[in-house]
Amino acid sequence: MSPVTHFFTGWVLANCFDLEQRDRALTTLACVAPDVDGLGVIPELLTRNSSHPLLWFSLYHHSLHNLMFALVIAALAFALAVQKWKTGLLALLSFHVHLLEDVVGSRGPDGYRWPISYPAPFSSSLQLAWRGQWGLNAWPNILVTIVLLPVTLWLAWRRGFSPLEMVSAGADSSLVTALRRRFPARTAV
Ligand SMILES: [Zn+2]
């Protein structure tokens, strides 16, 4: 699935738990982290028509979709978090939710399944792929993203914070204020 879908999945997952702001961000980002290996798409596209194209995306995408990198991310989250164990474990879970989302819905336009080499780089014996996998642009992915957006807005309305808190506290509170003004809470009779 796309990094945007992973991001909102991580956010909703983080909101299932009572976390500090920083720990929420770490849990959310852990769900996007595996796609760091997809950043090679930029040089690959830029050099596509050159005489020496860089195939960094084709070569390295999914090279960090494995248990080893999951543990690195979990350790990083542990180190940076306020609630260390809780956030470290949630980051590990969040990372694996990303892998699951990719196995079910990240088939490339060329039909390639991008199998996940879970024990890499130590072994290539286990490749995770699912025969029923749908394409990256298929409707279930769009549906998941469309469902995650209102859930995110509902959470913001209800709990008083949104993913905007990661970039700007002001923008975050403006959004929450706007939502609460638009949808005032029903008062008990
Ligand atoms: Zn991925």
Side-chain angles (χ1 to χ4, degrees):
M1 293 191 187
S2 80
V4 175
T5 313
H6 294 308
F7 179 87
F8 284 109
T9 306
W11 176 257
V12 171
L13 173 75
N15 274 274
C16 295
F17 300 87
D18 197 17
L19 295 172
E20 302 281 340
Q21 179 177 347
R22 186 197 299 191
D23 299 354
R24 265 199 305 275
L26 290 166
T27 303
T28 305
L29 294 177
C31 200
V32 188
D35 280 347
V36 166
D37 64 18
L39 287 175
V41 73
I42 298 163
E44 181 157 330
L45 283 177
L46 289 177
T47 60
R48 193 167 36 169
N49 299 319
S50 74
S51 51
H52 296 288
L54 298 168
L55 300 174
W56 291 354
F57 182 76
S58 307
L59 287 173
Y60 301 118
H61 187 42
H62 274 198
S63 64
L64 293 177
H65 285 60
N66 54 51
L67 176 61
M68 180 122 126
F69 193 54
L71 294 173
V72 169
I73 292 297
L76 213 64
F78 178 89
L80 297 171
V82 181
Q83 288 179 278
K84 296 195 175 298
W85 282 104
K86 189 175 183 182
T87 310
L89 288 170
L90 279 174
L92 192 64
L93 173 68
S94 191
F95 189 103
H96 281 82
V97 169
H98 177 120
L99 298 187
L100 181 72
E101 286 185 324
D102 276 0
V103 169
V104 299
S106 283
R107 189 159 37 102
D110 52 1
Y112 186 55
R113 286 202 191 115
W114 292 105
I116 286 172
S117 192
Y118 191 63
F122 304 108
S123 157
S124 54
S125 58
L126 182 68
Q127 302 272 333
L128 303 176
W130 177 47
R131 204 177 301 170
Q133 185 191 44
W134 58 74
L136 199 54
N137 299 322
W139 67 264
N141 282 9
I142 298 167
L143 183 71
V144 169
T145 316
I146 288 176
V147 169
L148 286 170
L149 282 173
V151 171
T152 299
L153 290 175
W154 176 78
L155 283 167
W157 175 83
R158 169 108 204 200
R159 303 192 70 183
F161 46 77
S162 76
L164 285 175
E165 69 176 7
M166 291 182 212
V167 281
S168 155
D172 186 47
S173 71
S174 305
L175 175 70
V176 171
T177 309
L179 283 169
R180 288 182 173 167
R181 199 169 290 157
R182 177 73 186 76
F183 304 101
R186 263 180 242 136
T187 43
V189 279

